[in-house]
Amino acid sequence: TQLLEQSPQFLSIQEGENLTVYCNSSSVFSSLQWYRQEPGEGPVLLVTVVTGGEVKKLKRLTFQFGDARKDSSLHITAAQPGDTGLYLCAGVNTNAGKSTFGDGTTLTVKP
Amino acid sequence: KAGVTQTPRYLIKTRGQQVTLSCSPISGHRSVSWYQQTPGQGLQFLFEYFSETQRNKGNFPGRFSGRQFSNSRSEMNVSTLELGDSALYLCASSFGQGALNYGYTFGSGTRLTVV
């Protein structure tokens, strides 16, 4: 069974601070996705990274895929209250053809 | 373009009953996956359908089943409901299947409560 470990599990910060969320596994993934979920709704895809070492930027969010394609990070610069939500990473395994989700990081940004 | 539509949004059932949940994927998406989300277990994979065939299955008992129709719409069924089946059931569609899934579009989910 593949596991994706996310850390930290909970994060509460003040508006304007920076933060990084980590997603780690011992398995190699063909691609890795990051989602954000708000209460009562389904997750929304933020980004997909495919190549080892790849870095993608989405406004204040920076996503990185590890060189070995086993881990990823999400960095948010100058967090805003609108960034509050559950952040989930999901790895796609080439052989199994399945997506495995991490347990998520609950982020609260206080004004 | 319309998103993924799940019906119903909320459902309350009694132990022992059965339930059917419905999902209409984004037009053009042929892959539909189902996930169960609970506070303690996170997002757990139930199954994936592509072109009316189940391509992958998670570690859930046989009480959980699904199917996909020729128009890519999908249904999942849970028989003999147990209290532990209370959860948010999420449907996700994607253009690619399995390893070619470059990102899901999720529906808003069906909140199932078993009493």
mmCIF file of all heavy atoms in Angstrom, chain A residues 51-100:
data_model
loop_
_atom_site.group_PDB
_atom_site.id
_atom_site.type_symbol
_atom_site.label_atom_id
_atom_site.label_comp_id
_atom_site.label_asym_id
_atom_site.label_seq_id
_atom_site.Cartn_x
_atom_site.Cartn_y
_atom_site.Cartn_z
ATOM 1 N N THR A 51 7.249 16.223 -14.043
ATOM 2 C CA THR A 51 8.686 15.968 -14.213
ATOM 3 C C THR A 51 9.432 16.165 -12.907
ATOM 4 O O THR A 51 9.201 17.143 -12.193
ATOM 5 C CB THR A 51 9.245 16.944 -15.261
ATOM 6 O OG1 THR A 51 8.466 16.856 -16.460
ATOM 7 C CG2 THR A 51 10.696 16.617 -15.577
ATOM 8 N N GLY A 52 10.353 15.249 -12.582
ATOM 9 C CA GLY A 52 11.172 15.375 -11.385
ATOM 10 C C GLY A 52 11.912 16.700 -11.385
ATOM 11 O O GLY A 52 12.501 17.075 -12.398
ATOM 12 N N GLY A 53 11.856 17.436 -10.262
ATOM 13 C CA GLY A 53 12.512 18.732 -10.165
ATOM 14 C C GLY A 53 11.677 19.885 -10.680
ATOM 15 O O GLY A 53 12.079 21.054 -10.577
ATOM 16 N N GLU A 54 10.509 19.588 -11.187
ATOM 17 C CA GLU A 54 9.658 20.627 -11.764
ATOM 18 C C GLU A 54 9.171 21.608 -10.711
ATOM 19 O O GLU A 54 8.846 21.213 -9.595
ATOM 20 C CB GLU A 54 8.456 19.961 -12.447
ATOM 21 C CG GLU A 54 7.504 20.911 -13.138
ATOM 22 C CD GLU A 54 6.384 20.177 -13.857
ATOM 23 O OE1 GLU A 54 6.305 18.938 -13.753
ATOM 24 O OE2 GLU A 54 5.575 20.866 -14.520
ATOM 25 N N VAL A 55 9.147 22.878 -11.067
ATOM 26 C CA VAL A 55 8.606 23.928 -10.205
ATOM 27 C C VAL A 55 7.522 24.662 -10.984
ATOM 28 O O VAL A 55 7.746 25.066 -12.129
ATOM 29 C CB VAL A 55 9.701 24.931 -9.775
ATOM 30 C CG1 VAL A 55 9.088 26.061 -8.946
ATOM 31 C CG2 VAL A 55 10.788 24.228 -8.966
ATOM 32 N N LYS A 56 6.358 24.802 -10.366
ATOM 33 C CA LYS A 56 5.267 25.552 -11.005
ATOM 34 C C LYS A 56 4.794 26.640 -10.055
ATOM 35 O O LYS A 56 4.716 26.414 -8.841
ATOM 36 C CB LYS A 56 4.097 24.624 -11.348
ATOM 37 C CG LYS A 56 4.285 23.839 -12.625
ATOM 38 C CD LYS A 56 2.992 23.179 -13.069
ATOM 39 C CE LYS A 56 3.165 22.521 -14.409
ATOM 40 N NZ LYS A 56 1.928 21.832 -14.851
ATOM 41 N N LYS A 57 4.477 27.796 -10.636
ATOM 42 C CA LYS A 57 3.995 28.912 -9.820
ATOM 43 C C LYS A 57 2.593 29.284 -10.259
ATOM 44 O O LYS A 57 2.277 29.354 -11.451
ATOM 45 C CB LYS A 57 4.934 30.109 -9.946
ATOM 46 C CG LYS A 57 6.290 29.874 -9.311
ATOM 47 C CD LYS A 57 7.104 31.142 -9.215
ATOM 48 C CE LYS A 57 8.405 30.860 -8.486
ATOM 49 N NZ LYS A 57 9.237 32.066 -8.292
ATOM 50 N N LEU A 58 1.756 29.531 -9.244
ATOM 51 C CA LEU A 58 0.385 29.953 -9.482
ATOM 52 C C LEU A 58 0.150 31.132 -8.554
ATOM 53 O O LEU A 58 -0.194 30.968 -7.394
ATOM 54 C CB LEU A 58 -0.571 28.791 -9.155
ATOM 55 C CG LEU A 58 -2.045 28.964 -9.455
ATOM 56 C CD1 LEU A 58 -2.267 29.054 -10.949
ATOM 57 C CD2 LEU A 58 -2.834 27.786 -8.886
ATOM 58 N N LYS A 59 0.385 32.343 -9.058
ATOM 59 C CA LYS A 59 0.298 33.570 -8.262
ATOM 60 C C LYS A 59 1.205 33.443 -7.037
ATOM 61 O O LYS A 59 2.412 33.366 -7.161
ATOM 62 C CB LYS A 59 -1.138 33.863 -7.875
ATOM 63 C CG LYS A 59 -2.030 34.132 -9.093
ATOM 64 C CD LYS A 59 -3.446 34.510 -8.689
ATOM 65 C CE LYS A 59 -4.292 34.745 -9.931
ATOM 66 N NZ LYS A 59 -5.700 35.054 -9.598
ATOM 67 N N ARG A 60 0.653 33.406 -5.836
ATOM 68 C CA ARG A 60 1.473 33.345 -4.626
ATOM 69 C C ARG A 60 1.809 31.912 -4.209
ATOM 70 O O ARG A 60 2.458 31.703 -3.185
ATOM 71 C CB ARG A 60 0.728 34.044 -3.481
ATOM 72 C CG ARG A 60 0.528 35.547 -3.688
ATOM 73 C CD ARG A 60 -0.316 36.158 -2.561
ATOM 74 N NE ARG A 60 -1.694 35.657 -2.609
ATOM 75 C CZ ARG A 60 -2.157 34.702 -1.828
ATOM 76 N NH1 ARG A 60 -1.359 34.147 -0.910
ATOM 77 N NH2 ARG A 60 -3.410 34.298 -1.924
ATOM 78 N N LEU A 61 1.389 30.930 -4.989
ATOM 79 C CA LEU A 61 1.631 29.532 -4.647
ATOM 80 C C LEU A 61 2.741 28.980 -5.529
ATOM 81 O O LEU A 61 2.731 29.180 -6.750
ATOM 82 C CB LEU A 61 0.356 28.705 -4.867
ATOM 83 C CG LEU A 61 -0.703 28.701 -3.761
ATOM 84 C CD1 LEU A 61 -1.238 30.091 -3.481
ATOM 85 C CD2 LEU A 61 -1.832 27.754 -4.125
ATOM 86 N N THR A 62 3.709 28.283 -4.921
ATOM 87 C CA THR A 62 4.801 27.645 -5.647
ATOM 88 C C THR A 62 4.806 26.167 -5.309
ATOM 89 O O THR A 62 4.828 25.786 -4.139
ATOM 90 C CB THR A 62 6.161 28.262 -5.271
ATOM 91 O OG1 THR A 62 6.139 29.660 -5.551
ATOM 92 C CG2 THR A 62 7.286 27.606 -6.068
ATOM 93 N N PHE A 63 4.767 25.340 -6.339
ATOM 94 C CA PHE A 63 4.732 23.887 -6.186
ATOM 95 C C PHE A 63 6.034 23.309 -6.725
ATOM 96 O O PHE A 63 6.518 23.722 -7.772
ATOM 97 C CB PHE A 63 3.560 23.300 -6.969
ATOM 98 C CG PHE A 63 2.233 23.894 -6.636
ATOM 99 C CD1 PHE A 63 1.794 25.054 -7.269
ATOM 100 C CD2 PHE A 63 1.416 23.302 -5.693
ATOM 101 C CE1 PHE A 63 0.567 25.609 -6.961
ATOM 102 C CE2 PHE A 63 0.182 23.842 -5.379
ATOM 103 C CZ PHE A 63 -0.245 25.003 -6.008
ATOM 104 N N GLN A 64 6.564 22.331 -5.989
ATOM 105 C CA GLN A 64 7.793 21.686 -6.442
ATOM 106 C C GLN A 64 7.640 20.178 -6.366
ATOM 107 O O GLN A 64 7.087 19.647 -5.389
ATOM 108 C CB GLN A 64 8.973 22.133 -5.579
ATOM 109 C CG GLN A 64 10.312 21.615 -6.055
ATOM 110 C CD GLN A 64 11.475 22.416 -5.502
ATOM 111 O OE1 GLN A 64 11.298 23.274 -4.641
ATOM 112 N NE2 GLN A 64 12.663 22.147 -5.992
ATOM 113 N N PHE A 65 8.103 19.493 -7.383
ATOM 114 C CA PHE A 65 8.125 18.034 -7.414
ATOM 115 C C PHE A 65 9.559 17.598 -7.188
ATOM 116 O O PHE A 65 10.471 18.101 -7.835
ATOM 117 C CB PHE A 65 7.634 17.556 -8.778
ATOM 118 C CG PHE A 65 7.121 16.144 -8.838
ATOM 119 C CD1 PHE A 65 6.856 15.410 -7.698
ATOM 120 C CD2 PHE A 65 6.867 15.547 -10.065
ATOM 121 C CE1 PHE A 65 6.357 14.118 -7.764
ATOM 122 C CE2 PHE A 65 6.360 14.259 -10.142
ATOM 123 C CZ PHE A 65 6.106 13.540 -8.997
ATOM 124 N N GLY A 66 9.781 16.660 -6.266
ATOM 125 C CA GLY A 66 11.128 16.223 -5.967
ATOM 126 C C GLY A 66 11.812 15.578 -7.155
ATOM 127 O O GLY A 66 11.143 15.031 -8.048
ATOM 128 N N ASP A 67 13.137 15.621 -7.164
ATOM 129 C CA ASP A 67 13.906 15.063 -8.281
ATOM 130 C C ASP A 67 13.572 13.589 -8.526
ATOM 131 O O ASP A 67 13.515 13.127 -9.669
ATOM 132 C CB ASP A 67 15.406 15.198 -8.018
ATOM 133 C CG ASP A 67 15.878 16.645 -8.062
ATOM 134 O OD1 ASP A 67 15.148 17.480 -8.663
ATOM 135 O OD2 ASP A 67 16.941 16.952 -7.497
ATOM 136 N N ALA A 68 13.364 12.849 -7.434
ATOM 137 C CA ALA A 68 13.081 11.416 -7.541
ATOM 138 C C ALA A 68 11.594 11.127 -7.719
ATOM 139 O O ALA A 68 11.191 9.959 -7.768
ATOM 140 C CB ALA A 68 13.606 10.689 -6.305
ATOM 141 N N ARG A 69 10.798 12.144 -7.799
ATOM 142 C CA ARG A 69 9.336 12.034 -7.972
ATOM 143 C C ARG A 69 8.684 11.246 -6.836
ATOM 144 O O ARG A 69 7.726 10.495 -7.043
ATOM 145 C CB ARG A 69 8.987 11.425 -9.330
ATOM 146 C CG ARG A 69 9.308 12.375 -10.475
ATOM 147 C CD ARG A 69 8.808 11.857 -11.799
ATOM 148 N NE ARG A 69 9.622 10.748 -12.268
ATOM 149 C CZ ARG A 69 9.141 9.591 -12.692
ATOM 150 N NH1 ARG A 69 7.844 9.360 -12.708
ATOM 151 N NH2 ARG A 69 9.947 8.654 -13.123
ATOM 152 N N LYS A 70 9.224 11.436 -5.600
ATOM 153 C CA LYS A 70 8.631 10.784 -4.429
ATOM 154 C C LYS A 70 8.030 11.808 -3.471
ATOM 155 O O LYS A 70 7.330 11.420 -2.528
ATOM 156 C CB LYS A 70 9.707 10.009 -3.664
ATOM 157 C CG LYS A 70 10.282 8.818 -4.395
ATOM 158 C CD LYS A 70 11.289 8.109 -3.505
ATOM 159 C CE LYS A 70 11.891 6.909 -4.212
ATOM 160 N NZ LYS A 70 12.866 6.211 -3.334
ATOM 161 N N ASP A 71 8.329 13.081 -3.655
ATOM 162 C CA ASP A 71 7.865 14.073 -2.704
ATOM 163 C C ASP A 71 7.564 15.388 -3.407
ATOM 164 O O ASP A 71 7.988 15.624 -4.547
ATOM 165 C CB ASP A 71 8.909 14.297 -1.602
ATOM 166 C CG ASP A 71 10.257 14.666 -2.187
ATOM 167 O OD1 ASP A 71 10.476 15.864 -2.452
ATOM 168 O OD2 ASP A 71 11.074 13.751 -2.399
ATOM 169 N N SER A 72 6.820 16.224 -2.701
ATOM 170 C CA SER A 72 6.446 17.512 -3.281
ATOM 171 C C SER A 72 6.224 18.512 -2.152
ATOM 172 O O SER A 72 6.016 18.119 -0.988
ATOM 173 C CB SER A 72 5.166 17.364 -4.110
ATOM 174 O OG SER A 72 4.787 18.601 -4.689
ATOM 175 N N SER A 73 6.283 19.779 -2.500
ATOM 176 C CA SER A 73 6.002 20.821 -1.517
ATOM 177 C C SER A 73 5.152 21.913 -2.149
ATOM 178 O O SER A 73 5.173 22.117 -3.370
ATOM 179 C CB SER A 73 7.302 21.413 -0.965
ATOM 180 O OG SER A 73 8.024 22.054 -1.989
ATOM 181 N N LEU A 74 4.412 22.565 -1.267
ATOM 182 C CA LEU A 74 3.580 23.704 -1.665
ATOM 183 C C LEU A 74 3.966 24.868 -0.773
ATOM 184 O O LEU A 74 3.873 24.755 0.455
ATOM 185 C CB LEU A 74 2.103 23.355 -1.485
ATOM 186 C CG LEU A 74 1.100 24.507 -1.309
ATOM 187 C CD1 LEU A 74 1.106 25.431 -2.508
ATOM 188 C CD2 LEU A 74 -0.290 23.966 -1.042
ATOM 189 N N HIS A 75 4.412 25.950 -1.355
ATOM 190 C CA HIS A 75 4.805 27.130 -0.596
ATOM 191 C C HIS A 75 3.848 28.267 -0.928
ATOM 192 O O HIS A 75 3.586 28.533 -2.110
ATOM 193 C CB HIS A 75 6.245 27.539 -0.951
ATOM 194 C CG HIS A 75 6.739 28.722 -0.187
ATOM 195 N ND1 HIS A 75 7.183 28.639 1.112
ATOM 196 C CD2 HIS A 75 6.839 30.030 -0.548
ATOM 197 C CE1 HIS A 75 7.555 29.848 1.527
ATOM 198 N NE2 HIS A 75 7.350 30.702 0.545
ATOM 199 N N ILE A 76 3.325 28.902 0.110
ATOM 200 C CA ILE A 76 2.441 30.056 -0.086
ATOM 201 C C ILE A 76 3.132 31.291 0.478
ATOM 202 O O ILE A 76 3.569 31.294 1.647
ATOM 203 C CB ILE A 76 1.069 29.852 0.594
ATOM 204 C CG1 ILE A 76 0.375 28.611 0.027
ATOM 205 C CG2 ILE A 76 0.194 31.084 0.394
ATOM 206 C CD1 ILE A 76 -0.985 28.312 0.654
ATOM 207 N N THR A 77 3.218 32.296 -0.340
ATOM 208 C CA THR A 77 3.830 33.566 0.070
ATOM 209 C C THR A 77 2.737 34.559 0.455
ATOM 210 O O THR A 77 1.716 34.653 -0.226
ATOM 211 C CB THR A 77 4.653 34.149 -1.100
ATOM 212 O OG1 THR A 77 5.634 33.180 -1.505
ATOM 213 C CG2 THR A 77 5.344 35.426 -0.697
ATOM 214 N N ALA A 78 2.974 35.255 1.557
ATOM 215 C CA ALA A 78 2.032 36.296 2.006
ATOM 216 C C ALA A 78 0.600 35.763 2.038
ATOM 217 O O ALA A 78 -0.276 36.247 1.305
ATOM 218 C CB ALA A 78 2.139 37.528 1.109
ATOM 219 N N ALA A 79 0.366 34.774 2.884
ATOM 220 C CA ALA A 79 -0.945 34.104 2.945
ATOM 221 C C ALA A 79 -2.064 35.098 3.240
ATOM 222 O O ALA A 79 -1.880 36.097 3.963
ATOM 223 C CB ALA A 79 -0.917 33.016 4.015
ATOM 224 N N GLN A 80 -3.225 34.796 2.671
ATOM 225 C CA GLN A 80 -4.415 35.623 2.861
ATOM 226 C C GLN A 80 -5.536 34.765 3.432
ATOM 227 O O GLN A 80 -5.527 33.537 3.254
ATOM 228 C CB GLN A 80 -4.841 36.219 1.521
ATOM 229 C CG GLN A 80 -3.790 37.128 0.900
ATOM 230 C CD GLN A 80 -4.187 37.624 -0.481
ATOM 231 O OE1 GLN A 80 -5.237 37.276 -1.007
ATOM 232 N NE2 GLN A 80 -3.331 38.452 -1.062
ATOM 233 N N PRO A 81 -6.518 35.364 4.091
ATOM 234 C CA PRO A 81 -7.630 34.582 4.652
ATOM 235 C C PRO A 81 -8.322 33.704 3.601
ATOM 236 O O PRO A 81 -8.793 32.620 3.912
ATOM 237 C CB PRO A 81 -8.573 35.658 5.197
ATOM 238 C CG PRO A 81 -7.658 36.777 5.579
ATOM 239 C CD PRO A 81 -6.581 36.776 4.515
ATOM 240 N N GLY A 82 -8.333 34.128 2.368
ATOM 241 C CA GLY A 82 -8.938 33.348 1.296
ATOM 242 C C GLY A 82 -8.179 32.070 0.985
ATOM 243 O O GLY A 82 -8.688 31.205 0.265
ATOM 244 N N ASP A 83 -6.967 31.922 1.512
ATOM 245 C CA ASP A 83 -6.187 30.689 1.319
ATOM 246 C C ASP A 83 -6.610 29.594 2.298
ATOM 247 O O ASP A 83 -6.169 28.452 2.189
ATOM 248 C CB ASP A 83 -4.687 30.958 1.504
ATOM 249 C CG ASP A 83 -4.123 31.907 0.463
ATOM 250 O OD1 ASP A 83 -4.612 31.882 -0.694
ATOM 251 O OD2 ASP A 83 -3.203 32.683 0.805
ATOM 252 N N THR A 84 -7.449 29.948 3.256
ATOM 253 C CA THR A 84 -7.903 28.979 4.262
ATOM 254 C C THR A 84 -8.583 27.798 3.587
ATOM 255 O O THR A 84 -9.381 27.971 2.662
ATOM 256 C CB THR A 84 -8.873 29.663 5.243
ATOM 257 O OG1 THR A 84 -8.136 30.616 6.015
ATOM 258 C CG2 THR A 84 -9.533 28.656 6.172
ATOM 259 N N GLY A 85 -8.245 26.590 4.041
ATOM 260 C CA GLY A 85 -8.863 25.395 3.481
ATOM 261 C C GLY A 85 -8.035 24.156 3.773
ATOM 262 O O GLY A 85 -7.016 24.225 4.451
ATOM 263 N N LEU A 86 -8.492 23.041 3.241
ATOM 264 C CA LEU A 86 -7.781 21.761 3.375
ATOM 265 C C LEU A 86 -6.982 21.546 2.099
ATOM 266 O O LEU A 86 -7.551 21.522 0.999
ATOM 267 C CB LEU A 86 -8.792 20.630 3.578
ATOM 268 C CG LEU A 86 -8.222 19.207 3.612
ATOM 269 C CD1 LEU A 86 -7.345 19.019 4.855
ATOM 270 C CD2 LEU A 86 -9.351 18.178 3.604
ATOM 271 N N TYR A 87 -5.680 21.397 2.231
ATOM 272 C CA TYR A 87 -4.810 21.182 1.085
ATOM 273 C C TYR A 87 -4.447 19.694 1.009
ATOM 274 O O TYR A 87 -3.951 19.109 1.969
ATOM 275 C CB TYR A 87 -3.554 22.045 1.182
ATOM 276 C CG TYR A 87 -3.853 23.500 0.925
ATOM 277 C CD1 TYR A 87 -4.364 24.302 1.934
ATOM 278 C CD2 TYR A 87 -3.679 24.062 -0.337
ATOM 279 C CE1 TYR A 87 -4.683 25.634 1.707
ATOM 280 C CE2 TYR A 87 -3.990 25.395 -0.583
ATOM 281 C CZ TYR A 87 -4.497 26.166 0.444
ATOM 282 O OH TYR A 87 -4.817 27.490 0.203
ATOM 283 N N LEU A 88 -4.699 19.109 -0.146
ATOM 284 C CA LEU A 88 -4.485 17.678 -0.346
ATOM 285 C C LEU A 88 -3.508 17.448 -1.481
ATOM 286 O O LEU A 88 -3.585 18.103 -2.520
ATOM 287 C CB LEU A 88 -5.801 16.997 -0.726
ATOM 288 C CG LEU A 88 -6.908 16.987 0.333
ATOM 289 C CD1 LEU A 88 -8.266 16.818 -0.330
ATOM 290 C CD2 LEU A 88 -6.677 15.880 1.336
ATOM 291 N N CYS A 89 -2.586 16.510 -1.277
ATOM 292 C CA CYS A 89 -1.749 16.087 -2.392
ATOM 293 C C CYS A 89 -2.205 14.702 -2.812
ATOM 294 O O CYS A 89 -2.740 13.940 -1.996
ATOM 295 C CB CYS A 89 -0.268 16.096 -2.035
ATOM 296 S SG CYS A 89 0.233 14.941 -0.749
ATOM 297 N N ALA A 90 -2.021 14.381 -4.076
ATOM 298 C CA ALA A 90 -2.427 13.076 -4.601
ATOM 299 C C ALA A 90 -1.378 12.610 -5.596
ATOM 300 O O ALA A 90 -1.029 13.348 -6.522
ATOM 301 C CB ALA A 90 -3.793 13.164 -5.271
ATOM 302 N N GLY A 91 -0.883 11.402 -5.397
ATOM 303 C CA GLY A 91 0.117 10.849 -6.290
ATOM 304 C C GLY A 91 -0.500 9.798 -7.203
ATOM 305 O O GLY A 91 -1.338 9.001 -6.764
ATOM 306 N N VAL A 92 -0.107 9.811 -8.459
ATOM 307 C CA VAL A 92 -0.600 8.828 -9.424
ATOM 308 C C VAL A 92 0.497 7.802 -9.661
ATOM 309 O O VAL A 92 1.612 8.158 -10.047
ATOM 310 C CB VAL A 92 -0.981 9.494 -10.762
ATOM 311 C CG1 VAL A 92 -1.473 8.438 -11.753
ATOM 312 C CG2 VAL A 92 -2.049 10.547 -10.534
ATOM 313 N N ASN A 93 0.188 6.542 -9.394
ATOM 314 C CA ASN A 93 1.171 5.479 -9.571
ATOM 315 C C ASN A 93 1.043 4.870 -10.951
ATOM 316 O O ASN A 93 -0.049 4.456 -11.345
ATOM 317 C CB ASN A 93 0.955 4.404 -8.506
ATOM 318 C CG ASN A 93 1.914 3.244 -8.693
ATOM 319 O OD1 ASN A 93 1.589 2.266 -9.363
ATOM 320 N ND2 ASN A 93 3.100 3.364 -8.125
ATOM 321 N N THR A 94 2.129 4.816 -11.669
ATOM 322 C CA THR A 94 2.100 4.328 -13.047
ATOM 323 C C THR A 94 1.635 2.873 -13.118
ATOM 324 O O THR A 94 0.786 2.515 -13.919
ATOM 325 C CB THR A 94 3.497 4.438 -13.672
ATOM 326 O OG1 THR A 94 3.921 5.781 -13.580
ATOM 327 C CG2 THR A 94 3.460 4.005 -15.121
ATOM 328 N N ASN A 95 2.216 2.027 -12.257
ATOM 329 C CA ASN A 95 1.919 0.594 -12.339
ATOM 330 C C ASN A 95 0.498 0.274 -11.906
ATOM 331 O O ASN A 95 -0.209 -0.478 -12.570
ATOM 332 C CB ASN A 95 2.910 -0.197 -11.481
ATOM 333 C CG ASN A 95 4.328 -0.085 -12.021
ATOM 334 O OD1 ASN A 95 4.520 0.107 -13.214
ATOM 335 N ND2 ASN A 95 5.298 -0.175 -11.140
ATOM 336 N N ALA A 96 0.086 0.832 -10.773
ATOM 337 C CA ALA A 96 -1.238 0.507 -10.251
ATOM 338 C C ALA A 96 -2.334 1.281 -10.967
ATOM 339 O O ALA A 96 -3.492 0.880 -10.952
ATOM 340 C CB ALA A 96 -1.297 0.791 -8.757
ATOM 341 N N GLY A 97 -1.958 2.407 -11.567
ATOM 342 C CA GLY A 97 -2.952 3.218 -12.248
ATOM 343 C C GLY A 97 -3.924 3.890 -11.305
ATOM 344 O O GLY A 97 -5.007 4.288 -11.706
ATOM 345 N N LYS A 98 -3.543 3.971 -10.034
ATOM 346 C CA LYS A 98 -4.445 4.574 -9.052
ATOM 347 C C LYS A 98 -3.860 5.874 -8.528
ATOM 348 O O LYS A 98 -2.657 6.092 -8.560
ATOM 349 C CB LYS A 98 -4.587 3.647 -7.838
ATOM 350 C CG LYS A 98 -5.466 2.456 -8.017
ATOM 351 C CD LYS A 98 -5.748 1.860 -6.641
ATOM 352 C CE LYS A 98 -5.666 0.382 -6.657
ATOM 353 N NZ LYS A 98 -5.999 -0.205 -5.346
ATOM 354 N N SER A 99 -4.767 6.723 -8.011
ATOM 355 C CA SER A 99 -4.336 7.931 -7.316
ATOM 356 C C SER A 99 -4.465 7.704 -5.820
ATOM 357 O O SER A 99 -5.476 7.181 -5.354
ATOM 358 C CB SER A 99 -5.209 9.115 -7.725
ATOM 359 O OG SER A 99 -5.033 9.422 -9.084
ATOM 360 N N THR A 100 -3.432 8.079 -5.091
ATOM 361 C CA THR A 100 -3.442 7.974 -3.628
ATOM 362 C C THR A 100 -3.391 9.373 -3.048
ATOM 363 O O THR A 100 -2.542 10.175 -3.436
ATOM 364 C CB THR A 100 -2.221 7.181 -3.129
ATOM 365 O OG1 THR A 100 -2.234 5.887 -3.717
ATOM 366 C CG2 THR A 100 -2.253 7.050 -1.611
#
